[in-house]
Amino acid sequence: MPDVSSRIASIHSRMAKAATKAKRKPNSVKLIAVSKLQPPTSVEEAIKSGQKAFGENRVQEAEEKFAPLREKHPHLELHLIGHLQTNKALSAVKLFDVIQTLDREDLAVGLAKAIKKTGRAPQLYIEVNLGREEQKAGIYPEELENFIYECREKHGLEISGLMCIPPIEEDPIPHFTKLKELADKHRLHNISMGMSADFEEAISCGATEIRIGTAIFGERAR
Ligand SMILES: *Cc1c(COP(=O)(O)O)cnc(C)c1O
């Protein structure tokens, strides 16, 4: 098993360096440890070294892994960073503190219903498809303004951030810069961008949270 705690320490020092270089405060960026396809023992190891925020791609996997972990560690903060089916909106609202992948109106409707029913209101980020990739989820940049309006006015949802996954084969910096611009324009404070391969660039462009999987836990099982 990789040494999770020393990898986390090394990520923190690289985050601090990138922040300082960008004239930002080192504590202005949050580390989300992406634990999809990783066993609970690896998550436990991360928790031991002070890690609090975790990202998962699938509702069911996250439920199975984190329900028992949360009994021991009630302070954990859970982020959904993968595609959410509308019929799982209720489970997602019950489980997650942040849902980063709001990307279409029928999901907005489902989330609004689930929030009403449970009285729980996770923070919601909109996923933006900056590369305009057809196979990828996310709202196109030119549709964002209208989508935010509809989420707020029609569905009563509070939107607090944006997230993106730039096209893998492209320079991420123009995409990160664009997401930061869009977030500023709409006064959204949470900017989720940057993964193992490009988080320093994301921090230099204004990321407030980065999502790191393999650089913490090593390669995933599948
Ligand atoms: C898997 C995943 C990550 C983490 O990717 P790594 O390259 O392993 O750091 C980040 N964000 C999303 C949306 C993911 O699906």
Side-chain angles (χ1 to χ4, degrees):
M1 204 187 340
D3 182 355
V4 168
S5 74
S6 69
R7 286 175 183 225
I8 288 178
S10 134
I11 300 278
H12 274 297
S13 90
R14 288 170 62 190
M15 288 169 70
K17 260 190 212 140
T20 307
K21 202 170 151 200
K23 302 199 163 52
R24 303 181 56 198
K25 290 196 187 118
N27 65 3
S28 63
V29 188
K30 178 191 281 185
L31 173 59
I32 299 172
V34 176
S35 50
K36 64 184 180 199
L37 303 175
Q38 302 292 351
T41 48
S42 297
V43 177
E44 290 267 19
E45 216 186 318
I47 295 170
K48 258 188 227 140
S49 52
Q51 184 61 31
K52 186 176 160 232
F54 291 88
E56 285 280 343
N57 269 34
R58 290 165 166 277
V59 178
Q60 198 186 335
E61 181 186 343
E63 251 166 8
E64 286 166 5
K65 202 182 299 178
F66 280 88
L69 283 168
R70 265 189 166 159
E71 284 180 18
K72 265 194 271 176
H73 310 283
H75 64 286
L76 294 184
E77 179 184 302
L78 212 47
H79 294 244
L80 180 65
I81 61 169
H83 179 75
L84 177 57
Q85 288 170 255
T86 304
N87 64 10
K88 298 215 172 113
L90 183 61
S91 315
V93 164
K94 286 182 183 161
L95 182 67
F96 289 96
D97 302 291
V98 184
I99 294 173
Q100 299 204 358
T101 50
L102 173 52
D103 63 352
R104 56 192 195 281
E105 186 161 17
D106 75 303
L107 181 57
V109 173
L111 288 171
K113 262 193 214 151
I115 288 166
K116 214 169 184 186
K117 186 161 177 183
T118 57
R120 250 185 77 86
Q123 289 196 54
L124 302 176
Y125 304 173
I126 293 171
E127 181 173 356
V128 186
N129 188 347
L130 292 173
R132 310 184 55 88
E133 295 170 283
E134 265 175 40
Q135 78 284 8
K136 249 191 207 165
I139 296 287
Y140 286 153
E142 70 275 14
E143 288 162 5
L144 182 62
E145 181 158 1
N146 185 50
F147 186 65
I148 292 174
Y149 178 83
E150 295 207 325
C151 284
R152 286 178 173 156
E153 303 302 320
K154 249 168 96 179
H155 309 297
L157 295 175
E158 211 168 298
I159 305 297
S160 70
L162 298 178
M163 83 86 101
C164 75
I165 311 168
I168 24 177
E169 64 295 348
E170 288 178 26
D171 177 3
I173 288 185
H175 297 292
F176 292 155
T177 305
K178 179 75 184 173
L179 197 71
K180 163 75 171 154
E181 271 172 31
L182 290 169
D184 287 349
K185 178 176 170 199
H186 297 291
R187 299 202 177 81
L188 301 170
H189 298 299
N190 300 308
I191 307 173
S192 171
M193 57 188 188
M195 321 201 322
S196 292
D198 56 16
F199 69 88
E200 282 143 323
E201 289 92 332
I203 291 170
S204 76
C205 296
T208 64
E209 43 198 74
I210 59 172
R211 312 177 305 264
I212 307 295
T214 45
I216 292 176
F217 297 112
E219 291 301 323
R220 287 177 277 275
R222 279 176 268 159

PDB file of all heavy atoms in Angstrom, residues 34 36 57 81-82 100-101 127 163-165 194-197 210-216 218 220, ligand 1:
ATOM      1  N   VAL A  34      -9.762  12.170  -3.445  1.00  0.00           N
ATOM      2  CA  VAL A  34     -10.709  11.389  -4.245  1.00  0.00           C
ATOM      3  C   VAL A  34     -10.486   9.899  -3.984  1.00  0.00           C
ATOM      4  O   VAL A  34      -9.489   9.319  -4.408  1.00  0.00           O
ATOM      5  CB  VAL A  34     -10.564  11.718  -5.741  1.00  0.00           C
ATOM      6  CG1 VAL A  34     -11.488  10.836  -6.576  1.00  0.00           C
ATOM      7  CG2 VAL A  34     -10.886  13.198  -5.989  1.00  0.00           C
ATOM      8  N   LYS A  36     -12.542   7.275  -4.743  1.00  0.00           N
ATOM      9  CA  LYS A  36     -13.271   6.303  -5.570  1.00  0.00           C
ATOM     10  C   LYS A  36     -12.392   5.081  -5.843  1.00  0.00           C
ATOM     11  O   LYS A  36     -11.190   5.228  -6.118  1.00  0.00           O
ATOM     12  CB  LYS A  36     -13.696   6.953  -6.891  1.00  0.00           C
ATOM     13  CG  LYS A  36     -12.531   7.365  -7.762  1.00  0.00           C
ATOM     14  CD  LYS A  36     -12.983   8.090  -9.022  1.00  0.00           C
ATOM     15  CE  LYS A  36     -11.796   8.477  -9.877  1.00  0.00           C
ATOM     16  NZ  LYS A  36     -12.088   9.537 -10.841  1.00  0.00           N
ATOM     17  N   ASN A  57     -17.272   9.207  -6.800  1.00  0.00           N
ATOM     18  CA  ASN A  57     -17.962   9.320  -8.078  1.00  0.00           C
ATOM     19  C   ASN A  57     -19.349   8.709  -8.114  1.00  0.00           C
ATOM     20  O   ASN A  57     -20.132   9.031  -8.986  1.00  0.00           O
ATOM     21  CB  ASN A  57     -17.150   8.602  -9.162  1.00  0.00           C
ATOM     22  CG  ASN A  57     -16.179   9.535  -9.826  1.00  0.00           C
ATOM     23  OD1 ASN A  57     -15.657  10.418  -9.156  1.00  0.00           O
ATOM     24  ND2 ASN A  57     -15.949   9.352 -11.106  1.00  0.00           N
ATOM     25  N   ILE A  81     -18.491  13.937  -6.978  1.00  0.00           N
ATOM     26  CA  ILE A  81     -17.803  14.548  -8.129  1.00  0.00           C
ATOM     27  C   ILE A  81     -18.076  13.793  -9.421  1.00  0.00           C
ATOM     28  O   ILE A  81     -17.511  14.132 -10.458  1.00  0.00           O
ATOM     29  CB  ILE A  81     -16.278  14.645  -7.872  1.00  0.00           C
ATOM     30  CG1 ILE A  81     -15.672  13.249  -7.658  1.00  0.00           C
ATOM     31  CG2 ILE A  81     -15.984  15.533  -6.676  1.00  0.00           C
ATOM     32  CD1 ILE A  81     -14.158  13.250  -7.672  1.00  0.00           C
ATOM     33  N   GLY A  82     -18.947  12.780  -9.367  1.00  0.00           N
ATOM     34  CA  GLY A  82     -19.271  12.021 -10.570  1.00  0.00           C
ATOM     35  C   GLY A  82     -20.709  12.285 -11.006  1.00  0.00           C
ATOM     36  O   GLY A  82     -21.498  12.915 -10.283  1.00  0.00           O
ATOM     37  N   GLN A 100     -21.149  18.349  -6.695  1.00  0.00           N
ATOM     38  CA  GLN A 100     -20.403  19.218  -7.622  1.00  0.00           C
ATOM     39  C   GLN A 100     -20.833  19.067  -9.074  1.00  0.00           C
ATOM     40  O   GLN A 100     -20.274  19.732  -9.938  1.00  0.00           O
ATOM     41  CB  GLN A 100     -18.899  18.899  -7.537  1.00  0.00           C
ATOM     42  CG  GLN A 100     -18.296  19.117  -6.161  1.00  0.00           C
ATOM     43  CD  GLN A 100     -16.790  19.373  -6.228  1.00  0.00           C
ATOM     44  OE1 GLN A 100     -16.185  19.346  -7.302  1.00  0.00           O
ATOM     45  NE2 GLN A 100     -16.187  19.630  -5.073  1.00  0.00           N
ATOM     46  N   THR A 101     -21.801  18.194  -9.338  1.00  0.00           N
ATOM     47  CA  THR A 101     -22.052  17.818 -10.729  1.00  0.00           C
ATOM     48  C   THR A 101     -23.477  18.102 -11.197  1.00  0.00           C
ATOM     49  O   THR A 101     -24.044  17.345 -11.972  1.00  0.00           O
ATOM     50  CB  THR A 101     -21.726  16.322 -10.927  1.00  0.00           C
ATOM     51  OG1 THR A 101     -22.394  15.565  -9.904  1.00  0.00           O
ATOM     52  CG2 THR A 101     -20.237  16.074 -10.835  1.00  0.00           C
ATOM     53  N   GLU A 127     -21.447  21.829 -12.928  1.00  0.00           N
ATOM     54  CA  GLU A 127     -20.342  21.348 -13.749  1.00  0.00           C
ATOM     55  C   GLU A 127     -20.406  22.042 -15.106  1.00  0.00           C
ATOM     56  O   GLU A 127     -21.444  22.046 -15.765  1.00  0.00           O
ATOM     57  CB  GLU A 127     -20.433  19.826 -13.917  1.00  0.00           C
ATOM     58  CG  GLU A 127     -19.303  19.249 -14.745  1.00  0.00           C
ATOM     59  CD  GLU A 127     -19.277  17.726 -14.775  1.00  0.00           C
ATOM     60  OE1 GLU A 127     -20.112  17.084 -14.083  1.00  0.00           O
ATOM     61  OE2 GLU A 127     -18.427  17.178 -15.497  1.00  0.00           O
ATOM     62  N   MET A 163     -17.544  23.631 -11.151  1.00  0.00           N
ATOM     63  CA  MET A 163     -16.446  22.674 -11.292  1.00  0.00           C
ATOM     64  C   MET A 163     -16.235  22.357 -12.759  1.00  0.00           C
ATOM     65  O   MET A 163     -17.132  22.536 -13.582  1.00  0.00           O
ATOM     66  CB  MET A 163     -16.692  21.396 -10.470  1.00  0.00           C
ATOM     67  CG  MET A 163     -17.552  20.331 -11.086  1.00  0.00           C
ATOM     68  SD  MET A 163     -16.598  19.215 -12.157  1.00  0.00           S
ATOM     69  CE  MET A 163     -16.387  17.816 -11.084  1.00  0.00           C
ATOM     70  N   CYS A 164     -15.020  21.946 -13.103  1.00  0.00           N
ATOM     71  CA  CYS A 164     -14.756  21.538 -14.480  1.00  0.00           C
ATOM     72  C   CYS A 164     -13.712  20.438 -14.543  1.00  0.00           C
ATOM     73  O   CYS A 164     -12.924  20.252 -13.612  1.00  0.00           O
ATOM     74  CB  CYS A 164     -14.284  22.727 -15.338  1.00  0.00           C
ATOM     75  SG  CYS A 164     -12.576  23.240 -15.020  1.00  0.00           S
ATOM     76  N   ILE A 165     -13.765  19.687 -15.614  1.00  0.00           N
ATOM     77  CA  ILE A 165     -12.730  18.711 -15.962  1.00  0.00           C
ATOM     78  C   ILE A 165     -12.310  19.057 -17.399  1.00  0.00           C
ATOM     79  O   ILE A 165     -13.019  18.719 -18.338  1.00  0.00           O
ATOM     80  CB  ILE A 165     -13.280  17.267 -15.935  1.00  0.00           C
ATOM     81  CG1 ILE A 165     -14.059  16.996 -14.638  1.00  0.00           C
ATOM     82  CG2 ILE A 165     -12.165  16.255 -16.139  1.00  0.00           C
ATOM     83  CD1 ILE A 165     -14.865  15.701 -14.676  1.00  0.00           C
ATOM     84  N   GLY A 194      -8.657  21.126 -11.018  1.00  0.00           N
ATOM     85  CA  GLY A 194      -7.302  20.633 -10.759  1.00  0.00           C
ATOM     86  C   GLY A 194      -7.348  19.232 -10.190  1.00  0.00           C
ATOM     87  O   GLY A 194      -8.104  18.957  -9.261  1.00  0.00           O
ATOM     88  N   MET A 195      -6.572  18.324 -10.818  1.00  0.00           N
ATOM     89  CA  MET A 195      -6.478  16.945 -10.358  1.00  0.00           C
ATOM     90  C   MET A 195      -4.986  16.614 -10.167  1.00  0.00           C
ATOM     91  O   MET A 195      -4.155  17.511 -10.162  1.00  0.00           O
ATOM     92  CB  MET A 195      -7.159  16.003 -11.365  1.00  0.00           C
ATOM     93  CG  MET A 195      -8.437  16.620 -11.922  1.00  0.00           C
ATOM     94  SD  MET A 195      -9.709  15.556 -12.650  1.00  0.00           S
ATOM     95  CE  MET A 195      -8.864  14.301 -13.520  1.00  0.00           C
ATOM     96  N   SER A 196      -4.656  15.329 -10.021  1.00  0.00           N
ATOM     97  CA  SER A 196      -3.259  14.988  -9.708  1.00  0.00           C
ATOM     98  C   SER A 196      -2.262  15.609 -10.678  1.00  0.00           C
ATOM     99  O   SER A 196      -1.191  16.066 -10.278  1.00  0.00           O
ATOM    100  CB  SER A 196      -3.079  13.462  -9.703  1.00  0.00           C
ATOM    101  OG  SER A 196      -3.769  12.891  -8.630  1.00  0.00           O
ATOM    102  N   ALA A 197      -2.612  15.627 -11.964  1.00  0.00           N
ATOM    103  CA  ALA A 197      -1.635  16.032 -12.970  1.00  0.00           C
ATOM    104  C   ALA A 197      -1.527  17.547 -13.158  1.00  0.00           C
ATOM    105  O   ALA A 197      -0.561  18.018 -13.755  1.00  0.00           O
ATOM    106  CB  ALA A 197      -1.988  15.379 -14.311  1.00  0.00           C
ATOM    107  N   ILE A 210      -9.161  21.508  -4.901  1.00  0.00           N
ATOM    108  CA  ILE A 210      -8.585  20.611  -5.902  1.00  0.00           C
ATOM    109  C   ILE A 210      -8.992  19.183  -5.547  1.00  0.00           C
ATOM    110  O   ILE A 210      -9.217  18.868  -4.376  1.00  0.00           O
ATOM    111  CB  ILE A 210      -7.050  20.756  -5.973  1.00  0.00           C
ATOM    112  CG1 ILE A 210      -6.410  20.451  -4.618  1.00  0.00           C
ATOM    113  CG2 ILE A 210      -6.670  22.169  -6.438  1.00  0.00           C
ATOM    114  CD1 ILE A 210      -4.885  20.396  -4.663  1.00  0.00           C
ATOM    115  N   ARG A 211      -9.107  18.346  -6.570  1.00  0.00           N
ATOM    116  CA  ARG A 211      -9.593  16.975  -6.375  1.00  0.00           C
ATOM    117  C   ARG A 211      -8.484  15.991  -6.741  1.00  0.00           C
ATOM    118  O   ARG A 211      -8.171  15.818  -7.908  1.00  0.00           O
ATOM    119  CB  ARG A 211     -10.818  16.723  -7.255  1.00  0.00           C
ATOM    120  CG  ARG A 211     -11.888  17.823  -7.186  1.00  0.00           C
ATOM    121  CD  ARG A 211     -13.030  17.522  -8.150  1.00  0.00           C
ATOM    122  NE  ARG A 211     -12.585  17.333  -9.509  1.00  0.00           N
ATOM    123  CZ  ARG A 211     -12.571  18.282 -10.448  1.00  0.00           C
ATOM    124  NH1 ARG A 211     -12.999  19.505 -10.179  1.00  0.00           N
ATOM    125  NH2 ARG A 211     -12.134  18.014 -11.663  1.00  0.00           N
ATOM    126  N   ILE A 212      -7.894  15.385  -5.711  1.00  0.00           N
ATOM    127  CA  ILE A 212      -6.695  14.581  -5.940  1.00  0.00           C
ATOM    128  C   ILE A 212      -6.938  13.115  -5.575  1.00  0.00           C
ATOM    129  O   ILE A 212      -7.274  12.804  -4.437  1.00  0.00           O
ATOM    130  CB  ILE A 212      -5.519  15.115  -5.082  1.00  0.00           C
ATOM    131  CG1 ILE A 212      -5.307  16.609  -5.314  1.00  0.00           C
ATOM    132  CG2 ILE A 212      -4.247  14.318  -5.379  1.00  0.00           C
ATOM    133  CD1 ILE A 212      -4.880  16.990  -6.703  1.00  0.00           C
ATOM    134  N   GLY A 213      -6.763  12.241  -6.562  1.00  0.00           N
ATOM    135  CA  GLY A 213      -6.924  10.805  -6.330  1.00  0.00           C
ATOM    136  C   GLY A 213      -5.598  10.079  -6.332  1.00  0.00           C
ATOM    137  O   GLY A 213      -5.009   9.794  -5.286  1.00  0.00           O
ATOM    138  N   THR A 214      -5.080   9.789  -7.538  1.00  0.00           N
ATOM    139  CA  THR A 214      -3.893   8.927  -7.639  1.00  0.00           C
ATOM    140  C   THR A 214      -2.664   9.477  -6.915  1.00  0.00           C
ATOM    141  O   THR A 214      -1.875   8.696  -6.399  1.00  0.00           O
ATOM    142  CB  THR A 214      -3.533   8.668  -9.123  1.00  0.00           C
ATOM    143  OG1 THR A 214      -3.609   9.885  -9.846  1.00  0.00           O
ATOM    144  CG2 THR A 214      -4.494   7.689  -9.746  1.00  0.00           C
ATOM    145  N   ALA A 215      -2.480  10.772  -6.863  1.00  0.00           N
ATOM    146  CA  ALA A 215      -1.289  11.305  -6.192  1.00  0.00           C
ATOM    147  C   ALA A 215      -1.343  11.078  -4.677  1.00  0.00           C
ATOM    148  O   ALA A 215      -0.331  11.198  -3.989  1.00  0.00           O
ATOM    149  CB  ALA A 215      -1.118  12.794  -6.494  1.00  0.00           C
ATOM    150  N   ILE A 216      -2.522  10.726  -4.148  1.00  0.00           N
ATOM    151  CA  ILE A 216      -2.634  10.398  -2.724  1.00  0.00           C
ATOM    152  C   ILE A 216      -2.679   8.882  -2.510  1.00  0.00           C
ATOM    153  O   ILE A 216      -1.976   8.331  -1.679  1.00  0.00           O
ATOM    154  CB  ILE A 216      -3.897  11.043  -2.106  1.00  0.00           C
ATOM    155  CG1 ILE A 216      -3.749  12.562  -2.058  1.00  0.00           C
ATOM    156  CG2 ILE A 216      -4.137  10.491  -0.696  1.00  0.00           C
ATOM    157  CD1 ILE A 216      -4.997  13.283  -1.550  1.00  0.00           C
ATOM    158  N   GLY A 218      -2.438   6.357  -4.961  1.00  0.00           N
ATOM    159  CA  GLY A 218      -1.841   5.474  -5.952  1.00  0.00           C
ATOM    160  C   GLY A 218      -2.871   5.100  -7.008  1.00  0.00           C
ATOM    161  O   GLY A 218      -3.989   5.617  -7.021  1.00  0.00           O
ATOM    162  N   ARG A 220      -5.750   3.381  -9.147  1.00  0.00           N
ATOM    163  CA  ARG A 220      -7.000   2.778  -8.732  1.00  0.00           C
ATOM    164  C   ARG A 220      -7.091   1.327  -9.203  1.00  0.00           C
ATOM    165  O   ARG A 220      -6.451   0.943 -10.176  1.00  0.00           O
ATOM    166  CB  ARG A 220      -8.177   3.570  -9.291  1.00  0.00           C
ATOM    167  CG  ARG A 220      -8.373   4.904  -8.590  1.00  0.00           C
ATOM    168  CD  ARG A 220      -9.500   5.696  -9.198  1.00  0.00           C
ATOM    169  NE  ARG A 220      -9.093   6.437 -10.364  1.00  0.00           N
ATOM    170  CZ  ARG A 220      -8.536   7.655 -10.334  1.00  0.00           C
ATOM    171  NH1 ARG A 220      -8.312   8.250  -9.202  1.00  0.00           N
ATOM    172  NH2 ARG A 220      -8.202   8.265 -11.457  1.00  0.00           N
TER     173      ARG A 220
HETATM  174  C1  LIG B   1     -11.121  10.580 -10.540  1.00  0.00           C
HETATM  175  C2  LIG B   1     -11.398  12.017 -10.500  1.00  0.00           C
HETATM  176  C3  LIG B   1     -10.472  12.927  -9.946  1.00  0.00           C
HETATM  177  C4  LIG B   1      -9.112  12.504  -9.419  1.00  0.00           C
HETATM  178  O1  LIG B   1      -8.268  12.222 -10.474  1.00  0.00           O
HETATM  179  P1  LIG B   1      -6.710  11.901 -10.241  1.00  0.00           P
HETATM  180  O2  LIG B   1      -6.111  12.117 -11.574  1.00  0.00           O
HETATM  181  O3  LIG B   1      -6.642  10.497  -9.782  1.00  0.00           O
HETATM  182  O4  LIG B   1      -6.210  12.857  -9.232  1.00  0.00           O
HETATM  183  C5  LIG B   1     -10.819  14.261  -9.901  1.00  0.00           C
HETATM  184  N1  LIG B   1     -12.018  14.700 -10.375  1.00  0.00           N
HETATM  185  C6  LIG B   1     -12.923  13.866 -10.917  1.00  0.00           C
HETATM  186  C7  LIG B   1     -14.218  14.418 -11.397  1.00  0.00           C
HETATM  187  C8  LIG B   1     -12.642  12.516 -11.010  1.00  0.00           C
HETATM  188  O5  LIG B   1     -13.545  11.697 -11.574  1.00  0.00           O
END
